[in-house]
Amino acid sequence: MINLKKIFIFSFFVLALLLSGCMKLFNLSLESGVYVAGEWNNWVPTQSDRMILNNGIYEFEIPVASITFYPGSLGNIGWYKVIYVGGVTKVQSSVPVWKENLADATSITVFASPNIMRDGYAVGAGDIEKEIGDWYCAGDFNGWSLEKMEKIDGKFVYELNIDVNKGDSFKYKIARGIDWKPYEEQFDGKNYNAGYGQDALFIADKSGSSLYIEFDPKFSILNVYVK
């Protein structure tokens, strides 16, 4: 006679082993913290890829030699992502690094704030490569003609002096160059590959005489507000 109870216990034991193996395979047994993943660790972070908390901001140094760069729309592009392991795991969408923009730098610093991070989005983490050079802004308010943003206190700001009414909507995006290249560097508030039809959208929450578009490269925050 078949002992269903024993079969159930055995099956449960096998399932537990399989799940345990998967956890180790995908490295879900990591301690709570913030980690950086890339091709140097096969996109599976280890304890050595753990970010360090410094004055309320998580930081991590990536040797440029550790990043695998591939031909992109302009030069060579490498990728990384930030992973938060805690009560709710958050995996940032991949972030590009433009090699030619690094010049002779041997490493880049990655920054992250888990409180700002959103799973699957490129918000809440960034790096020093995004602080180098200029950023440009364009939208339906200027015929999609890229205009240089002003760098103020580490943030890139674009001011548009127009009358804005509450409820007005604006489509826009920012880019690294006046020819929209590299495409991988464009930021639309959701990811770093803002192609056609992937524009950011702002709906004014109040009326005012100026529209401000502000980009914080350290945390990849794209913010719009009315004054």
Side-chain angles (χ1 to χ4, degrees):
M1 184 176 181
I2 298 176
N3 190 324
L4 294 178
K5 183 177 181 180
K6 287 184 178 180
I7 292 177
F8 174 79
I9 293 174
F10 177 76
S11 299
F12 180 81
F13 177 72
V14 172
L15 179 61
L17 286 177
L18 289 173
L19 289 176
S20 176
C22 288
M23 288 180 71
K24 291 180 180 179
L25 175 65
F26 293 104
N27 216 7
L28 298 180
S29 59
L30 286 169
E31 297 178 3
S32 296
V34 188
Y35 301 83
V36 180
E39 291 201 13
W40 68 87
N41 57 22
N42 294 316
W43 299 99
V44 181
T46 65
Q47 289 296 335
S48 62
D49 302 302
R50 187 171 183 170
M51 302 185 76
I52 299 173
L53 186 62
N54 183 17
N55 294 322
I57 299 173
Y58 286 89
E59 298 181 0
F60 186 80
E61 292 285 332
I62 304 178
V64 174
S66 297
I67 303 174
T68 302
F69 293 94
Y70 297 96
S73 56
L74 181 67
N76 296 278
I77 307 293
W79 302 85
Y80 72 86
K81 66 175 55 180
V82 173
I83 300 172
Y84 168 69
V85 179
V88 177
T89 300
K90 301 177 184 179
V91 181
Q92 182 192 30
S93 61
S94 297
V95 180
V97 177
W98 183 13
K99 183 178 181 180
E100 283 73 11
N101 211 30
L102 295 173
D104 297 327
T106 58
S107 67
I108 66 168
T109 303
V110 176
F111 306 96
S113 176
N115 293 332
I116 304 174
M117 289 178 64
R118 295 173 59 193
D119 189 49
Y121 287 74
V123 177
D127 56 77
I128 60 171
E129 187 270 316
K130 310 300 178 293
E131 298 178 315
I132 301 172
D134 298 319
W135 282 86
Y136 298 82
C137 183
D140 52 10
F141 44 77
N142 67 357
W144 294 101
S145 177
L146 284 165
E147 298 181 30
K148 186 178 177 179
M149 303 176 77
E150 182 180 3
K151 193 171 185 180
I152 303 174
D153 296 329
K155 298 180 181 179
F156 293 88
V157 181
Y158 176 76
E159 180 182 0
L160 186 64
N161 294 312
I162 59 171
D163 291 328
V164 180
N165 297 313
K166 182 178 180 180
D168 286 351
S169 62
F170 303 90
K171 290 184 178 181
Y172 66 98
K173 63 178 67 171
I174 65 175
R176 300 302 296 268
I178 56 176
D179 57 357
W180 294 101
K181 293 180 179 180
Y183 301 136
E184 295 87 350
E185 298 287 348
Q186 296 176 26
F187 190 86
D188 66 355
K190 295 182 180 179
N191 56 55
Y192 279 83
N193 192 2
Y196 294 107
Q198 296 182 17
D199 309 322
L201 175 67
F202 172 71
I203 299 177
D205 56 352
K206 65 178 183 180
S207 298
S209 58
S210 295
L211 181 72
Y212 286 82
I213 297 176
E214 182 181 271
F215 176 56
D216 182 349
K218 184 171 287 187
F219 300 108
S220 303
I221 299 173
L222 186 56
N223 184 40
V224 186
Y225 54 92
V226 176
K227 279 190 177 182

